Amino acid sequence: MGSNLAAFSRPLRIVIPGGSGQVGQVLASYFLERGHHVTVLTRGPFTAPWQTVHWDGEQIGPWTEHLEGADVCVNLAGRNVNCRYNGANREAIYHSRIHTTRLLNAVIARLADPPRVWLNASTATIYRHALDRAMDEATGELGGNELVSERRRAPETWNFSIHVAEDWERAFFETQTPRTRKVAMRSAITFSPMTRNAFAIFSNLTRLGLGGRQGNGRQFVSWIHEADFARAVEFLIEHEELDGPVNIAAPHPLPNREFMAALREAWNVPNGLPLPAPLIEVAAFFLRTESELVLKSRRVIPMRLLEAGFEFDFPNWPEAAEDLVQQWRHRND
Protein backbone atom coordinates (compact mmCIF):
# COMPACT_ATOMS: atom_id res chain seq x y z
CA MET A 1 0.00 0.00 0.00
CA GLY A 2 1.13 3.54 -0.64
CA SER A 3 2.30 5.90 2.07
CA ASN A 4 -0.07 8.36 3.68
CA LEU A 5 2.81 10.63 4.68
CA ALA A 6 1.33 13.29 2.40
CA ALA A 7 -1.56 13.52 4.87
CA PHE A 8 0.90 15.06 7.35
CA SER A 9 2.76 18.30 6.74
CA ARG A 10 6.05 16.76 7.96
CA PRO A 11 7.43 13.53 9.38
CA LEU A 12 6.00 12.85 12.83
CA ARG A 13 7.77 12.06 16.09
CA ILE A 14 6.00 8.96 17.39
CA VAL A 15 6.74 7.51 20.85
CA ILE A 16 5.56 3.96 21.65
CA PRO A 17 5.79 3.01 25.35
CA GLY A 18 5.78 -0.76 25.72
CA GLY A 19 6.40 -1.19 22.02
CA SER A 20 8.76 -4.17 22.09
CA GLY A 21 6.06 -6.80 21.51
CA GLN A 22 4.33 -8.00 18.36
CA VAL A 23 1.97 -5.05 17.86
CA GLY A 24 4.64 -2.51 18.78
CA GLN A 25 7.02 -3.95 16.21
CA VAL A 26 4.27 -3.87 13.56
CA LEU A 27 3.58 -0.18 14.27
CA ALA A 28 7.22 0.86 14.60
CA SER A 29 8.11 -0.79 11.28
CA TYR A 30 5.06 0.68 9.54
CA PHE A 31 5.74 4.26 10.60
CA LEU A 32 9.51 4.05 10.06
CA GLU A 33 8.92 2.87 6.49
CA ARG A 34 6.77 5.96 5.93
CA GLY A 35 9.47 8.39 6.98
CA HIS A 36 8.41 9.09 10.57
CA HIS A 37 10.75 9.15 13.58
CA VAL A 38 9.90 6.29 15.95
CA THR A 39 11.03 5.86 19.56
CA VAL A 40 10.10 2.72 21.51
CA LEU A 41 10.20 2.91 25.31
CA THR A 42 11.11 -0.54 26.59
CA ARG A 43 12.24 -2.18 29.82
CA GLY A 44 14.99 -4.00 27.94
CA PRO A 45 16.32 -2.01 24.94
CA PHE A 46 16.89 -4.21 21.91
CA THR A 47 18.54 -3.81 18.53
CA ALA A 48 16.03 -2.40 16.06
CA PRO A 49 15.93 -0.10 13.03
CA TRP A 50 14.17 2.48 15.21
CA GLN A 51 15.30 4.23 18.39
CA THR A 52 14.86 2.30 21.66
CA VAL A 53 15.00 4.00 25.07
CA HIS A 54 14.94 2.38 28.51
CA TRP A 55 12.05 2.96 30.87
CA ASP A 56 10.78 0.89 33.77
CA GLY A 57 7.13 1.84 33.43
CA GLU A 58 7.17 2.64 37.14
CA GLN A 59 8.81 6.01 37.70
CA ILE A 60 9.42 9.32 35.97
CA GLY A 61 12.89 9.34 34.42
CA PRO A 62 14.97 10.56 31.46
CA TRP A 63 12.55 8.81 29.07
CA THR A 64 10.08 11.67 29.58
CA GLU A 65 12.30 13.90 27.43
CA HIS A 66 11.25 11.89 24.38
CA LEU A 67 7.59 12.77 24.94
CA GLU A 68 8.37 16.49 25.13
CA GLY A 69 7.64 17.85 21.66
CA ALA A 70 6.51 14.49 20.30
CA ASP A 71 3.51 14.43 17.98
CA VAL A 72 2.05 11.06 18.95
CA CYS A 73 2.11 8.69 21.93
CA VAL A 74 0.90 5.12 21.38
CA ASN A 75 0.93 3.32 24.73
CA LEU A 76 1.02 -0.47 24.40
CA ALA A 77 2.46 -1.26 27.86
CA GLY A 78 0.98 -4.29 29.57
CA ARG A 79 1.98 -7.80 30.57
CA ASN A 80 1.01 -10.48 28.05
CA VAL A 81 -2.36 -12.05 28.96
CA ASN A 82 -1.39 -15.43 27.48
CA CYS A 83 -0.87 -16.96 30.92
CA ARG A 84 -2.78 -18.56 33.80
CA TYR A 85 -4.67 -15.99 35.86
CA ASN A 86 -3.12 -16.86 39.21
CA GLY A 87 -2.60 -14.21 41.87
CA ALA A 88 0.86 -13.08 40.76
CA ASN A 89 -0.07 -12.93 37.08
CA ARG A 90 -3.29 -11.04 37.81
CA GLU A 91 -1.36 -8.45 39.76
CA ALA A 92 1.18 -8.09 36.93
CA ILE A 93 -1.54 -7.84 34.25
CA TYR A 94 -3.44 -5.21 36.22
CA HIS A 95 -0.52 -3.14 37.49
CA SER A 96 1.35 -3.10 34.17
CA ARG A 97 -1.68 -1.49 32.50
CA ILE A 98 -3.23 0.78 35.10
CA HIS A 99 -0.04 2.08 36.71
CA THR A 100 1.78 2.82 33.45
CA THR A 101 -1.28 4.62 32.07
CA ARG A 102 -1.50 6.79 35.20
CA LEU A 103 2.24 7.41 35.02
CA LEU A 104 1.93 8.65 31.44
CA ASN A 105 -1.03 10.83 32.46
CA ALA A 106 1.10 12.46 35.15
CA VAL A 107 3.91 13.11 32.66
CA ILE A 108 1.87 14.26 29.66
CA ALA A 109 -0.36 16.56 31.73
CA ARG A 110 2.62 18.68 32.73
CA LEU A 111 4.75 18.70 29.57
CA ALA A 112 5.41 22.12 28.05
CA ASP A 113 4.83 20.69 24.55
CA PRO A 114 2.85 17.44 24.92
CA PRO A 115 1.87 15.05 22.12
CA ARG A 116 -1.21 16.26 20.27
CA VAL A 117 -2.70 12.77 20.30
CA TRP A 118 -2.34 9.84 22.70
CA LEU A 119 -3.64 6.43 21.65
CA ASN A 120 -3.83 4.00 24.57
CA ALA A 121 -4.23 0.26 24.21
CA SER A 122 -7.50 -1.22 25.39
CA THR A 123 -9.28 -4.42 24.38
CA ALA A 124 -12.39 -5.66 22.61
CA THR A 125 -12.71 -8.11 25.52
CA ILE A 126 -14.40 -5.25 27.41
CA TYR A 127 -17.69 -6.21 25.71
CA ARG A 128 -19.89 -9.05 26.90
CA HIS A 129 -19.92 -12.57 25.48
CA ALA A 130 -22.04 -11.88 22.37
CA LEU A 131 -23.71 -14.46 20.16
CA ASP A 132 -26.91 -12.53 19.47
CA ARG A 133 -25.68 -9.24 18.01
CA ALA A 134 -22.63 -7.17 17.19
CA MET A 135 -21.07 -4.76 19.67
CA ASP A 136 -20.20 -1.26 18.46
CA GLU A 137 -18.99 1.73 20.46
CA ALA A 138 -22.45 3.33 20.80
CA THR A 139 -24.65 0.32 21.60
CA GLY A 140 -22.18 -2.34 22.74
CA GLU A 141 -22.77 -3.75 26.22
CA LEU A 142 -19.82 -4.06 28.55
CA GLY A 143 -19.37 -7.51 29.99
CA GLY A 144 -19.35 -8.88 33.51
CA ASN A 145 -21.13 -11.85 35.03
CA GLU A 146 -23.38 -12.24 31.97
CA LEU A 147 -25.12 -15.48 31.07
CA VAL A 148 -23.10 -17.55 28.61
CA SER A 149 -25.67 -20.35 28.51
CA GLU A 150 -29.11 -20.98 29.99
CA ARG A 151 -27.72 -21.96 33.36
CA ARG A 152 -24.14 -20.70 33.44
CA ARG A 153 -22.73 -17.25 33.99
CA ALA A 154 -19.42 -15.98 32.64
CA PRO A 155 -16.46 -17.59 34.42
CA GLU A 156 -14.66 -15.54 37.03
CA THR A 157 -11.57 -15.31 34.81
CA TRP A 158 -13.66 -13.57 32.12
CA ASN A 159 -14.90 -11.10 34.72
CA PHE A 160 -11.30 -10.37 35.70
CA SER A 161 -10.42 -9.46 32.11
CA ILE A 162 -13.38 -7.07 31.91
CA HIS A 163 -12.48 -5.52 35.29
CA VAL A 164 -8.96 -4.83 34.01
CA ALA A 165 -10.26 -3.34 30.76
CA GLU A 166 -12.72 -1.02 32.53
CA ASP A 167 -10.15 0.20 35.06
CA TRP A 168 -7.60 0.63 32.26
CA GLU A 169 -9.87 2.99 30.34
CA ARG A 170 -10.89 4.76 33.56
CA ALA A 171 -7.23 5.39 34.40
CA PHE A 172 -6.67 6.69 30.87
CA PHE A 173 -9.51 9.22 30.88
CA GLU A 174 -9.43 10.26 34.56
CA THR A 175 -6.76 12.94 34.06
CA GLN A 176 -7.54 15.96 31.90
CA THR A 177 -5.01 16.63 29.12
CA PRO A 178 -6.54 19.62 27.28
CA ARG A 179 -3.77 19.79 24.66
CA THR A 180 -3.69 16.05 24.00
CA ARG A 181 -6.54 14.19 22.27
CA LYS A 182 -7.14 10.73 23.72
CA VAL A 183 -8.26 7.56 21.95
CA ALA A 184 -8.78 4.21 23.71
CA MET A 185 -8.05 1.48 21.16
CA ARG A 186 -10.46 -1.39 21.83
CA SER A 187 -8.52 -3.83 19.69
CA ALA A 188 -9.41 -7.32 18.59
CA ILE A 189 -6.65 -9.92 18.26
CA THR A 190 -4.09 -8.63 15.77
CA PHE A 191 -2.95 -11.40 13.43
CA SER A 192 0.65 -11.26 12.20
CA PRO A 193 2.76 -13.92 10.48
CA MET A 194 5.16 -14.10 13.44
CA THR A 195 6.13 -16.99 15.69
CA ARG A 196 4.78 -17.33 19.25
CA ASN A 197 1.62 -15.29 18.73
CA ALA A 198 -2.10 -15.94 18.14
CA PHE A 199 -1.73 -16.64 14.42
CA ALA A 200 1.11 -19.07 15.11
CA ILE A 201 -0.96 -20.93 17.73
CA PHE A 202 -4.01 -21.32 15.48
CA SER A 203 -1.80 -22.24 12.52
CA ASN A 204 0.16 -24.86 14.43
CA LEU A 205 -3.09 -26.51 15.56
CA THR A 206 -4.31 -26.49 11.96
CA ARG A 207 -1.13 -27.97 10.54
CA LEU A 208 -1.16 -30.71 13.20
CA GLY A 209 -4.67 -31.73 12.14
CA LEU A 210 -6.32 -30.13 15.21
CA GLY A 211 -7.83 -27.21 13.35
CA GLY A 212 -11.49 -28.09 13.76
CA ARG A 213 -14.01 -26.02 15.67
CA GLN A 214 -13.15 -25.11 19.26
CA GLY A 215 -15.90 -25.64 21.81
CA ASN A 216 -19.24 -25.66 20.00
CA GLY A 217 -17.79 -23.43 17.27
CA ARG A 218 -20.63 -20.90 17.52
CA GLN A 219 -18.63 -18.28 19.45
CA PHE A 220 -17.60 -15.31 17.30
CA VAL A 221 -13.99 -14.41 16.59
CA SER A 222 -13.09 -10.74 16.26
CA TRP A 223 -9.78 -10.23 14.51
CA ILE A 224 -7.74 -7.72 12.48
CA HIS A 225 -4.92 -8.15 9.97
CA GLU A 226 -1.68 -6.46 11.06
CA ALA A 227 -1.70 -4.19 8.00
CA ASP A 228 -5.16 -2.87 8.82
CA PHE A 229 -4.24 -2.39 12.46
CA ALA A 230 -1.31 -0.16 11.51
CA ARG A 231 -3.41 1.71 8.94
CA ALA A 232 -6.19 2.23 11.51
CA VAL A 233 -3.71 3.73 13.98
CA GLU A 234 -2.45 6.05 11.24
CA PHE A 235 -6.06 7.00 10.42
CA LEU A 236 -6.78 7.80 14.08
CA ILE A 237 -3.70 10.02 14.26
CA GLU A 238 -4.80 11.87 11.14
CA HIS A 239 -8.50 12.30 12.04
CA GLU A 240 -8.64 14.85 14.83
CA GLU A 241 -12.41 14.53 15.22
CA LEU A 242 -12.03 11.02 16.68
CA ASP A 243 -11.51 10.62 20.41
CA GLY A 244 -12.73 8.35 23.20
CA PRO A 245 -13.18 4.59 22.72
CA VAL A 246 -12.70 3.26 19.16
CA ASN A 247 -13.08 -0.40 18.15
CA ILE A 248 -10.16 -1.64 16.05
CA ALA A 249 -11.36 -4.87 14.47
CA ALA A 250 -12.19 -6.13 11.00
CA PRO A 251 -15.84 -5.37 10.13
CA HIS A 252 -16.82 -9.03 9.68
CA PRO A 253 -16.34 -11.17 12.80
CA LEU A 254 -17.32 -14.77 12.17
CA PRO A 255 -18.15 -17.93 14.13
CA ASN A 256 -15.18 -19.99 15.26
CA ARG A 257 -16.33 -22.91 13.08
CA GLU A 258 -16.07 -20.74 9.92
CA PHE A 259 -12.90 -19.03 11.15
CA MET A 260 -11.09 -22.37 11.48
CA ALA A 261 -12.46 -23.68 8.18
CA ALA A 262 -11.02 -20.67 6.33
CA LEU A 263 -7.67 -21.10 8.07
CA ARG A 264 -7.57 -24.80 7.10
CA GLU A 265 -8.25 -23.84 3.50
CA ALA A 266 -5.48 -21.24 3.54
CA TRP A 267 -3.05 -23.88 4.82
CA ASN A 268 -4.46 -26.47 2.40
CA VAL A 269 -5.32 -28.81 5.27
CA PRO A 270 -8.59 -30.59 4.37
CA ASN A 271 -9.67 -31.74 7.83
CA GLY A 272 -9.27 -30.81 11.45
CA LEU A 273 -10.28 -32.57 14.64
CA PRO A 274 -12.63 -30.52 16.82
CA LEU A 275 -11.56 -29.56 20.33
CA PRO A 276 -14.48 -29.77 22.80
CA ALA A 277 -14.63 -27.18 25.57
CA PRO A 278 -13.57 -29.60 28.36
CA LEU A 279 -10.49 -30.60 26.38
CA ILE A 280 -9.65 -26.92 25.78
CA GLU A 281 -9.83 -26.32 29.55
CA VAL A 282 -7.37 -29.16 30.15
CA ALA A 283 -5.06 -27.99 27.34
CA ALA A 284 -5.17 -24.40 28.64
CA PHE A 285 -4.08 -25.63 32.06
CA PHE A 286 -1.06 -27.49 30.68
CA LEU A 287 -0.18 -24.68 28.25
CA ARG A 288 -0.33 -22.19 31.13
CA THR A 289 -2.98 -20.03 29.48
CA GLU A 290 -6.74 -19.36 29.80
CA SER A 291 -9.59 -20.85 27.74
CA GLU A 292 -11.26 -17.42 27.53
CA LEU A 293 -8.91 -16.54 24.68
CA VAL A 294 -10.70 -19.16 22.54
CA LEU A 295 -14.15 -19.71 24.04
CA LYS A 296 -15.43 -16.18 24.70
CA SER A 297 -17.60 -14.86 21.87
CA ARG A 298 -16.24 -11.51 20.69
CA ARG A 299 -18.50 -9.97 18.07
CA VAL A 300 -17.10 -6.46 17.65
CA ILE A 301 -17.85 -3.98 14.87
CA PRO A 302 -15.58 -0.95 14.13
CA MET A 303 -18.50 1.43 13.59
CA ARG A 304 -16.65 4.67 14.36
CA LEU A 305 -13.83 3.85 11.94
CA LEU A 306 -16.29 2.90 9.21
CA GLU A 307 -18.41 6.02 9.71
CA ALA A 308 -15.27 8.18 9.53
CA GLY A 309 -14.43 6.65 6.14
CA PHE A 310 -11.77 4.07 6.97
CA GLU A 311 -11.50 1.33 4.33
CA PHE A 312 -10.09 -2.05 5.27
CA ASP A 313 -7.61 -3.82 3.01
CA PHE A 314 -8.68 -7.12 4.61
CA PRO A 315 -12.33 -6.86 5.71
CA ASN A 316 -12.95 -10.63 5.38
CA TRP A 317 -11.12 -13.44 7.14
CA PRO A 318 -10.60 -15.89 4.21
CA GLU A 319 -8.57 -13.30 2.25
CA ALA A 320 -6.72 -12.20 5.39
CA ALA A 321 -5.87 -15.81 6.27
CA GLU A 322 -4.60 -16.47 2.74
CA ASP A 323 -2.34 -13.42 2.87
CA LEU A 324 -1.00 -14.26 6.34
CA VAL A 325 -0.25 -17.86 5.34
CA GLN A 326 1.62 -16.69 2.24
CA GLN A 327 3.68 -14.28 4.35
CA TRP A 328 4.34 -17.01 6.93
CA ARG A 329 5.61 -19.39 4.30
CA HIS A 330 7.86 -16.69 2.85
CA ARG A 331 9.32 -15.82 6.27
CA ASN A 332 9.36 -19.06 8.22
CA ASP A 333 9.00 -22.22 6.12
Side-chain angles (χ1 to χ4, degrees), residues 11 15 28 84 92-93 95 109 115 117 126 131 162 183 189 195 207 220 230 258-259 268 271 278 296 306 332:
V15 180
R84 295 297 287 180
I93 288 168
H95 181 83
V117 59
I126 199 169
L131 294 168
I162 291 161
V183 178
I189 298 173
T195 57
R207 299 169 86 182
F220 277 77
E258 297 173 22
F259 175 87
N268 196 29
N271 300 301
K296 180 173 178 177
L306 293 172
N332 302 301

Side-chain angles (χ1 to χ4, degrees), residues 67-307:
L67 286 168
E68 187 73 71
D71 297 288
V72 181
C73 175
V74 185
N75 178 33
L76 303 175
R79 189 215 192 278
N80 195 316
V81 297
N82 186 19
C83 61
R84 295 297 287 180
Y85 290 173
N86 59 35
N89 286 341
R90 287 185 188 223
E91 172 62 24
I93 288 168
Y94 187 91
H95 181 83
S96 63
R97 285 161 174 75
I98 281 70
H99 179 77
T100 52
T101 298
R102 286 184 171 144
L103 177 65
L104 286 167
N105 256 321
V107 169
I108 288 174
R110 66 188 191 200
L111 290 176
D113 186 14
R116 59 186 176 84
V117 59
W118 171 8
L119 294 89
N120 208 65
S122 183
T123 173
T125 296
I126 199 169
Y127 297 107
R128 69 167 171 83
H129 177 81
L131 294 168
D132 54 332
R133 69 176 184 87
M135 300 286 138
D136 62 27
E137 298 92 341
T139 66
E141 300 170 56
L142 302 190
N145 209 36
E146 68 267 22
L147 285 170
V148 297
S149 67
E150 288 185 5
R151 293 183 296 274
R152 191 168 69 94
R153 293 202 173 270
E156 190 270 337
T157 50
W158 296 18
N159 294 332
F160 167 72
S161 297
I162 291 161
H163 168 64
V164 171
E166 290 180 329
D167 282 6
W168 199 3
E169 290 193 6
R170 191 175 298 115
F172 180 43
F173 291 116
E174 69 187 3
T175 300
Q176 296 297 312
T177 54
R179 293 176 294 163
T180 301
R181 173 169 58 97
K182 289 180 171 180
V183 178
M185 303 185 295
R186 291 180 176 173
S187 303
I189 298 173
T190 301
F191 282 96
S192 301
M194 300 179 184
T195 57
R196 297 190 301 276
N197 66 9
F199 181 72
I201 292 169
F202 281 113
S203 291
N204 288 340
L205 286 172
T206 299
R207 299 169 86 182
L208 289 170
L210 300 174
R213 61 174 170 79
Q214 285 132 6
N216 60 28
R218 294 195 299 269
Q219 73 274 26
F220 277 77
V221 181
S222 282
W223 58 276
I224 188 166
H225 188 290
E226 63 170 8
D228 280 332
F229 180 86
R231 292 178 57 250
V233 169
E234 182 180 52
F235 186 88
L236 290 168
I237 293 170
E238 179 184 347
H239 283 257
E240 297 181 357
E241 75 278 11
L242 291 172
D243 62 6
V246 175
N247 293 342
I248 303 183
H252 301 299
L254 70 171
N256 172 273
R257 185 191 306 268
E258 297 173 22
F259 175 87
M260 294 306 300
L263 187 58
R264 290 197 306 272
E265 185 170 345
W267 278 112
N268 196 29
V269 175
N271 300 301
L273 290 174
L275 293 175
L279 186 57
I280 290 174
E281 295 289 355
V282 172
F285 176 81
F286 284 105
L287 294 173
R288 312 306 299 158
T289 188
E290 289 290 342
S291 62
E292 172 196 7
L293 301 173
V294 172
L295 295 179
K296 180 173 178 177
S297 184
R298 298 170 177 85
R299 191 174 180 179
V300 178
I301 298 295
M303 191 59 68
R304 296 192 68 195
L305 281 174
L306 293 172
E307 289 177 345

